[in-house]
Amino acid sequence: MEDYKNALGWRLRRDVLRGSLPVLDLVACAALLVLFWQYFSQASALPAPLNKIDIGAGGFPTLLALATLIAIVAVAVAAVIRMFDPLPVTWVSIRRPVFVLVTVGLLVLQSIYFETLGTLPSVLIFAVLTMLACGERRPVHLIGVPLALGAFIYVVFKLALAVNLP
């Protein structure tokens, strides 16, 4: 097997994706920009607060979207600057890119089914599936981590903050 640490240039294989860091940054920034612009437009459509000193239903999501959009643009600008930098290009290898995409898909599915399944079942099910997609195979971890995560969410949100979870 070829040594990817010393190999230069682009590689696209089932087990490894290797590419220039600035280019991969720009591709990721473009994808995130599309997603968070959509999130921003939906957050902006939420109702304005009745009380002028209140943040309102859409205040926090809009603030989050704006902060994230600013961060994405900053990373994209830094990537463009690095592309024109006279220093050698940094190469990055993403191992198991198919499993990375599966994990991203699981996180998207979790956001879709969150209300349908409910908070705790959603967190428990998708935590196990995400850990499996990331390569975790130890039974104690596959059982313990989702249970600890579910317990933490229940204690913090339900007991401490009295938030009604879906």
Side-chain angles (χ1 to χ4, degrees):
M1 182 166 200
E2 185 177 345
D3 183 14
Y4 287 103
K5 292 181 182 174
N6 297 324
L8 296 177
W10 286 88
R11 300 281 185 270
L12 180 58
R13 295 189 180 161
R14 188 175 53 85
D15 59 338
V16 174
L17 170 66
R18 180 178 170 83
S20 164
L21 180 60
V23 173
L24 292 175
D25 277 349
L26 285 175
V27 169
C29 284
L32 288 173
L33 193 62
V34 168
L35 289 173
F36 274 91
W37 187 259
Q38 179 70 22
Y39 179 77
F40 174 73
S41 64
Q42 290 179 3
S44 299
L46 291 171
L50 298 175
N51 182 349
K52 292 298 177 191
I53 61 170
D54 190 13
I55 192 166
F60 182 73
T62 303
L63 214 60
L64 179 68
L66 281 174
T68 306
L69 286 169
I70 290 168
I72 291 168
V73 170
V75 170
V77 168
V80 170
I81 290 170
R82 279 195 318 266
M83 288 177 87
F84 295 109
D85 197 350
L87 294 174
V89 173
T90 302
W91 293 90
V92 178
S93 294
I94 300 173
R95 307 276 182 214
R96 301 172 51 187
V98 173
F99 289 102
V100 171
L101 290 175
V102 168
T103 303
V104 169
L106 285 170
L107 294 173
V108 170
L109 280 175
Q110 182 179 10
S111 69
I112 292 169
Y113 288 108
F114 189 78
E115 284 191 69
T116 306
L117 295 174
T119 302
L120 294 177
S122 175
V123 167
L124 294 173
I125 292 167
F126 283 99
V128 170
L129 292 175
T130 302
M131 290 173 67
L132 285 170
C134 291
E136 182 61 58
R137 297 295 182 263
R138 295 172 286 192
V140 172
H141 290 175
L142 287 171
I143 295 168
V145 170
L147 288 176
L149 183 60
F152 175 79
I153 289 170
Y154 182 79
V155 167
V156 169
F157 288 99
K158 190 72 173 166
L159 299 179
L161 299 175
V163 173
N164 289 327
L165 300 173

